[in-house]
Each structure stands twice: as C-alpha cells, then as structure tokens.
Amino acid sequence: MTTSTSVSSQRWSSRWLFVLAAAGSAVGLGNIWKFPYIAGENGGGAFVLIYLVCIAAVGIPIMVSEVLLGRQGRSSPIHTMRKLAKASGRSQRWSVLGWMGVLAGFLILSYYAVIAGWAVNYVWLSGSGAFEGASAQAVGQSFDDFLASPFELIAYQTAFMILTIWIVGRGVTQGLEAAIRWFMPLLFLLLIALLVYSFNSGGFDQGFAFMFDMKWDAVTADSWLIAMGQAFFTLSLGMGTMMAYGAYVPDDANLGTTVVTIAALDTLIAVAAGLAIFPIVFANGLEVAQGPGLTFVTLPLAFGQMPFGSIFGALFFLLLSFAAITSAISLTEPALSFLVEEYNAKRQRVAISLGVICWALGLGTVFSFNVWSDVTFVGGLTFFDSVDYFSQNILLPLGGMLITFFAIWLLPRGMVEQQLGIENPILGWAWKVVAGIVAPLGVLAVFLSTIWPMLSGLWQ
Ligand code: PHE
C-alpha cells in the first residue's frame, strides 16, 4: 500500500480485503433488519427464491459492471464516469451518474445512521435485562417511547455518525481496512453464535420451514418489486459504492469470481439472519409478519422469554450495529473520493464536512418519528419515507440500469472483455445478453412499475 492519499494510487491490500470490504458494504441493515421482515411479510420461501433470482440475474451483472468501471477509471465515480465517457467518445453528461450516486449516498446515510442508532441503543437495553420477562405491551411501549424522544434518537444517531466519520477520515488502509478487519470476523462469529442459539431454541424446524417452504399464494406482483429493490439495496448497487470500492481493486483480481463471492456472502448472511431470527420468534409463539417492528419489538420480546436471552439479545444488536457501520462507511466513499480528488483536500476534513451535512439531513428522519410525524410529502409519505423511497426505489434502480448500459454498450470494444478476462467470444456474447439486456430490462420493468402508480397519482 502506498502512502499517497490520491484516489488513483490507493489499493486494497489484497483481493480478499476487497471481498471483505465489499461484503461489509453489502451486509448491513438490509440483510439483518429488512430481509427477514420482508420475507416474513411476503410469505417466506417463495419470496426467498424470487430474491435469489433477482440477485443472480440482475444483482451480479450490475455489480460486475460497477466494479469493472471503477477499476478501469481508478478514480471517484464522478471522475471515472467523466474519464470513461471521454475515452469512449461519449457525452460528458454521463458523469451525472456519479452525481446521482453522491446524492443517493447522502440520502441513504442520513437515515441509515438514525436506524443504526436504534440498534446501538438496543445493545444496552437488551444487555441490561430491560426486556426480561416483559409483556408484549411493555416491549412495544418502550420502542414507541424511544421513537417519541427526539433527543434520545439524536444522541445515538450522533454517536454512530461520529464513529463512521472517524473511520473514513483515516483513509482506505488505516480506516476502512482496519475497521473491516475487526468488524467482519466479529460479525461472522456473532452470527454463528446466534444460529447455534436459535438452533436450540425449540423453534428451528418451524423457522426453517418458513424460510424454505414455497408458499406461492403469499406472493404478489409487489413481491417481485420488493425483491428487486432489496437486491439493489442489499448489494449496495446503483449509487457508485461498488465503483468507488472497485477503484482500489488490484489489477490481477478476477472480477467475475470476486463479485460472485461477494454476492454469495451477502445472500448467505441474509438467509442466516432469517434462520437466526424466525426460530426464536416461532419458539415464543409470536407473529413473523410484523413488518419493520420485527427486529425492535418482536425479537426483544422473544429474547426476553428465553434463557440467556439478555446476553443473546445484546449480541444480536451488536451484530446489527457492526453490520451497519461497515455499510455506512461505504456510503460516504463516492462523495468523499470525489472531493478529495477534485480539491486535493484532506480526507479527514472532507469527511467531517460531509458528516455534518448528512447528520443535519438525518434530523429530518429523526423528527419523522415524533414532532414531524404528521408532516407528509408527495404520496402522503413522511420525510423519512420520502427519502427512503426516492433513494431506494428511484435513484438506485435508475443508476444501476444506466451504469450497466454504459458498461456494456458504450465502453470502447474489448475493454470489458479485457477487464473480465473473457477470451471465448461465445462467453462474451452470453455476458452481453445477460448484463446488457436481461438485467437492464428487468430493472426497467421494476422501475416503471414503481414510479407509474406515483405518476398516475400525481395526475389525478
Ligand atoms: N447494502 C447495505 C445494506 O444492506 C446498504 C447500502 C446501500 C450500503 C447502498 C451502501 C450503498 O444495508
């Protein structure tokens, strides 16, 4: 690793560190908080299958495209797009993709820090035994009380944001890599401990069946949309994160196998999180289709009824916090690398400024749960829901689709084949069909069906 701080000269220490870093970005609230509850609401097994199809047919090709562009450009996403558009004789306007990513990163991180803050708070709450033997009503009330207190939410959001900024300010090797070297192995250990616990909870068979039994009647057209949106969000696609991380990938790493490993790790961890959670919920006769409250109400309630529940409950929320921090640091990278490069600025300073803006934006999310809970925007959504909807359902799919389109159809001939090490022309064509046609069309379908109801709502 060089000591220079310029973006183009930085490299991950090895291919494995990139795999861990990208998996760290991918594995986050999306896997442990969101995936189990949307699988719960959409019927379990059949939804899991649809989700796997989306990961394979859309997620993997888009991730390959992003990492490939990143490594080819070796700059921040905005500069990479500028450089590659120029090299391919295309309009400089393609750099707008980089800007969309910066915007999406800001928006997502602003609320991500608030929800990660809840996880941090629940480490203490669970560990202190606050939920031991508590009634459903008491556990629900304590979550409601917490959400009703802006000061408490801000305190945890601030703490999480400070830690994130401190880590990213230290740079790729000393910040990102150091955090990843610690948090990822701990995350795996915690997950294994929780799986063993849930295996012995008495509800494992039921939880397992719920995750893998195909109940097609619970699947609606909406389930496809949700699965596709989740595939984007969970793999950190469509906003340049993987492009920014790809800029630091060593030249000799094979992109295809690397990306498949990352996607496999992410999927494995989402499924493992479901297998750790559902048995505990079933063992206590609770309802799995609880929506977002599954993690912060149902689970504490379930842990509260079980032997050593306080310890394992605290470990669960620690797992969630670790997963969130390694994703949060990746959300800043597109903007951070751009500012460092553009203004030759110090990473630390840029990190602090970005952090402050993001924190301030996050206050909107904090207030959405209390003082602004009645304030709604387009479609009757609160500030938090609007930011979440706009970033996840519009910016990410649009970004992902355009990035892949650019990578497959507009780069100079041979560049992709060379980056991917593809020599066989048939393989090259197969790749073009999957990544250049199937993936963008799939995303387009989902994208249109997401924004259509919104647009038609605006006309009326
Ligand atoms: N992949 C992360 C998760 O599942 C969220 C994320 C999205 C991170 C986009 C970076 C970029 O929680």
Side-chain angles (χ1 to χ4, degrees):
M1 188 81 199
T2 84
T3 48
S4 160
T5 54
S6 85
V7 173
S8 61
S9 62
Q10 309 237 28
R11 292 288 178 277
W12 299 110
S13 305
S14 69
R15 178 176 94 96
W16 271 103
L17 264 154
F18 169 61
V19 170
L20 274 190
S25 166
V27 175
L29 297 175
N31 304 57
I32 300 168
W33 171 57
K34 224 165 182 184
F35 177 76
Y37 89 68
I38 55 178
E41 284 179 330
N42 289 277
F47 178 82
V48 174
L49 188 68
I50 295 178
Y51 168 78
L52 293 180
V53 171
C54 293
I55 295 274
V58 176
I60 292 181
I62 294 184
M63 198 194 283
V64 170
S65 307
E66 274 203 36
V67 179
L68 177 156
L69 291 177
R71 186 165 73 171
Q72 183 72 34
R74 293 242 181 262
S75 301
S76 70
I78 296 177
H79 287 118
T80 285
M81 288 311 298
R82 266 189 213 160
K83 240 195 234 180
L84 297 182
K86 198 165 172 206
S88 354
R90 311 285 169 187
S91 159
Q92 288 292 301
R93 295 213 184 93
W94 278 99
S95 64
V96 112
L97 274 180
W99 287 104
M100 276 166 54
V102 167
L103 177 66
F106 261 107
L107 296 176
I108 297 176
L109 183 58
S110 78
Y111 69 77
Y112 211 82
V114 176
I115 298 173
W118 302 354
V120 176
N121 178 27
Y122 271 64
V123 176
W124 304 130
L125 273 182
S126 299
S128 67
F131 301 124
E132 260 167 44
S135 68
Q137 215 240 335
V139 178
Q141 190 62 45
S142 100
F143 188 51
D144 290 344
D145 289 347
F146 176 52
L147 292 189
S149 156
F151 289 113
E152 263 192 85
L153 296 187
I154 293 173
Y156 288 102
Q157 171 217 13
T158 311
F160 184 84
M161 209 61 199
I162 291 177
L163 184 60
T164 305
I165 293 311
W166 179 72
I167 294 174
V168 295
R170 291 168 60 91
V172 176
T173 333
Q174 279 166 20
L176 272 52
E177 280 198 8
I180 285 151
R181 278 179 206 266
W182 274 97
F183 291 139
M184 292 309 282
L186 281 171
L187 189 146
F188 291 124
L189 281 179
L190 285 174
L191 194 58
I192 291 170
L194 281 158
L195 273 175
V196 172
Y197 183 70
S198 111
F199 190 75
N200 292 309
S201 66
F204 195 79
D205 291 349
Q206 236 178 319
F208 190 88
F210 179 72
M211 288 273 298
F212 297 109
D213 277 358
M214 301 288 151
K215 286 189 284 316
W216 288 104
D217 43 336
V219 171
T220 61
D222 238 19
S223 310
W224 281 91
L225 287 186
I226 297 173
M228 176 87 90
Q230 173 67 6
F232 265 96
F233 187 77
T234 190
L235 292 177
S236 308
L237 299 177
M239 56 150 285
T241 296
M242 289 298 167
M243 213 192 281
Y245 272 20
Y248 312 135
V249 174
D251 284 316
D252 54 1
N254 177 319
L255 290 190
T257 50
T258 305
V259 165
V260 171
T261 314
I262 296 164
L265 272 175
D266 182 73
T267 307
L268 201 72
I269 291 180
V271 171
L275 285 180
I277 290 174
F278 290 127
I280 295 173
V281 175
F282 280 120
N284 291 282
L286 299 171
E287 196 30 69
V288 285
Q290 282 301 317
L294 180 67
T295 301
F296 292 99
V297 179
T298 314
L299 261 194
L301 179 62
F303 277 121
Q305 314 299 318
M306 304 185 56
F308 308 109
S310 298
I311 300 174
F312 282 91
L315 292 182
F316 172 81
F317 286 107
L318 201 59
L319 167 77
L320 192 57
S321 309
F322 287 162
I325 191 93
T326 51
S327 299
I329 58 182
S330 76
L331 281 162
T332 64
E333 197 58 31
L336 197 64
S337 55
F338 169 72
L339 291 170
V340 167
E341 218 167 40
E342 182 82 2
Y343 301 106
N344 211 356
K346 269 213 154 119
R347 234 183 116 95
Q348 223 155 18
R349 260 198 220 155
V350 177
I352 294 173
S353 327
L354 287 179
V356 171
I357 302 174
C358 230
W359 174 87
L361 198 62
L363 295 179
T365 290
V366 166
F367 296 144
S368 301
F369 294 101
N370 35 69
V371 287
W372 288 354
S373 58
D374 294 334
V375 181
T376 54
F377 299 83
V378 184
L381 300 177
T382 62
F383 182 88
F384 162 60
D385 289 331
S386 312
V387 172
D388 181 27
Y389 191 92
F390 180 60
S391 51
Q392 192 173 330
N393 296 354
I394 298 186
L395 286 177
L396 298 191
L398 195 61
M401 197 167 58
L402 293 173
I403 288 171
T404 322
F405 182 81
F406 183 88
I408 305 294
W409 302 114
L410 304 184
L411 280 183
R413 284 193 88 154
M415 202 181 254
V416 172
E417 285 80 357
Q418 189 212 338
Q419 275 282 355
L420 294 180
I422 296 182
E423 277 157 17
N424 182 334
I426 299 181
L427 212 62
W429 271 105
W431 164 249
K432 279 203 162 160
V433 170
V434 174
I437 299 174
V438 176
L441 283 186
V443 181
L444 188 67
V446 170
F447 182 61
L448 289 181
S449 42
T450 308
I451 59 164
W452 189 249
M454 206 172 70
L455 291 180
S456 53
L458 281 183
W459 292 150
Q460 280 156 15

